[in-house]
Amino acid sequence: MTTIGPTRKPGLLSPAAMGRTNRSRVLELLHRDGPSSRAQLARALQVNRATITSILQPLIDNGTLVEGASVAASPAGGKPARPVWFRPDGPELGSMRIAPHAIIGARLGVDGTIRHQAERPIDAGAPLAEIERTIFAVAHECFDDATLLGVGIAASGTINTASGSIISLQLAPVLNHYPATERLGRELGVPVYIDHHPRVQALGDKWFGHGRGLASFASVYTGEALGFGLVYDHEIVRGEQGAGGEYGHTVVDLHGLPCPCGRIGCWETIATLTWLRAEAERRGLPEPTMIDCGRLTELADQDHPGAADLLQLYAQNLAVGLANNEQMIASGRYLMHGDVCAGGTRMRDLLERWLVAYSPDRDGVTPTVIMADPTERMTLLGGGALALSAAFASIL
């Protein structure tokens, strides 16, 4: 995995950078297609077999990959092939999610299987020492006695990937300026990496989810907050030191509601669960503090007064942010995560209809919406991919 900023320095890629990119492409292909021979990988990537061998051999030598038993190359005959795959008993990957409401951890095989997962709630108003104890407790439960290549953290808020710290987390300000990679790395004794939550989620989509094989797409988180992870021309897009991705704080109404960030009219003020529940209460829907997209869709399906109108407005308001991105970078495909997924086909159709209406006309080519995963699973897989790619950049 290679991350890029808004601009590139002129000149050619270094051999090391080319090596990292090529390794990433091969590993992604293995994750997508399963055990594959050198010839199969060479055909899929349109390179010669010698190039594939030069990429695979260091991964075999360090125990990341193993060769399987020989199989016939084809029904017509030919030299037997030896498929390569991830070593099942080799080093594992750590993944963590730091959110305002919970700490989640997972230990993964290099093949992307989640072998152990743990979650503990946190009180956003608790002292930092208490929250850090929870972070460490989840980490030890998941990673003790494991040999890890590294740990990848998906963190809410604004992140500095160079320093490995959370710059600010509005829903849990006690974590502002928390040096996550330094503290957790010292506790565990392994390399730790951090990135913005939706960007790590996009990595999960790219390696393991609906984004596999797509050149460009947007991975969108919905719920208590809003965020984007962008993949453009097969690369994760990120600004200097991990900046960007805070789509929830793009201003959509200069005369709108105040946002916790201090601005007026941010996208989050019209399309999060906080807004949805306030609207549900204002419109007299039952149990408004428990409303989410799934419950609202159920009420709309039952023709409950006001539910269909609010569902329509929720889709419309979400589409505003998606369409703004479509105007700027034309991601084309929007992989939705979190709350909105519980709305199923009805919500997907409404969201796509408004997205198309707000997006530019490109000769009949219209953006699409995919309901990807309502859980944190893809983010945890993305944390593993973050650790895997960072580890290869440093050890190979």
Side-chain angles (χ1 to χ4, degrees), residues 65 94 135 140 174 179 270 329:
L65 301 177
I135 294 172
H140 284 298
V174 69
I270 64 167
I329 198 170

Coordinates of all heavy atoms in Angstrom, one line a residue, residues 65 94 135 140 174 179 270 329:
L65 N 5.1 -16.0 3.1 CA 4.4 -16.9 2.2 C 5.0 -18.3 2.2 O 6.2 -18.4 2.5 CB 4.5 -16.3 0.7 CG 3.9 -14.9 0.5 CD1 4.2 -14.5 -0.9 CD2 2.4 -14.9 0.8
G94 N -1.8 -7.0 14.1 CA -2.7 -6.4 15.1 C -3.4 -5.2 14.6 O -2.9 -4.5 13.7
I135 N -7.4 0.9 26.5 CA -6.6 0.6 25.3 C -5.6 -0.5 25.5 O -5.5 -1.4 24.7 CB -5.9 1.9 24.8 CG1 -6.9 3.0 24.4 CG2 -5.0 1.6 23.6 CD1 -6.3 4.3 24.1
H140 N -3.7 -6.1 25.1 CA -3.1 -7.4 25.8 C -4.0 -8.6 25.6 O -3.5 -9.7 25.3 CB -2.8 -7.1 27.2 CG -1.6 -6.3 27.5 ND1 -0.4 -6.7 27.1 CD2 -1.5 -5.0 28.1 CE1 0.5 -5.7 27.5 NE2 -0.1 -4.7 28.1
V174 N -10.5 14.4 25.7 CA -9.4 14.0 26.6 C -8.3 13.3 25.8 O -7.1 13.2 26.3 CB -9.9 13.0 27.7 CG1 -10.4 11.7 27.1 CG2 -8.9 12.8 28.8
P179 N -0.3 10.6 22.1 CA 0.7 10.0 21.3 C 0.5 8.5 21.2 O 1.2 7.7 21.8 CB 2.0 10.3 22.0 CG 1.6 10.4 23.5 CD 0.2 11.0 23.5
I270 N -26.3 18.0 9.7 CA -27.6 17.7 9.0 C -27.7 16.2 8.6 O -28.7 15.8 8.0 CB -27.8 18.5 7.8 CG1 -26.7 18.3 6.7 CG2 -27.8 20.0 8.1 CD1 -27.0 18.8 5.3
I329 N -13.8 15.2 -7.2 CA -12.8 14.1 -7.5 C -13.5 13.0 -8.3 O -12.8 12.1 -8.9 CB -12.1 13.6 -6.3 CG1 -10.8 12.8 -6.7 CG2 -13.0 12.7 -5.4 CD1 -10.0 12.5 -5.5

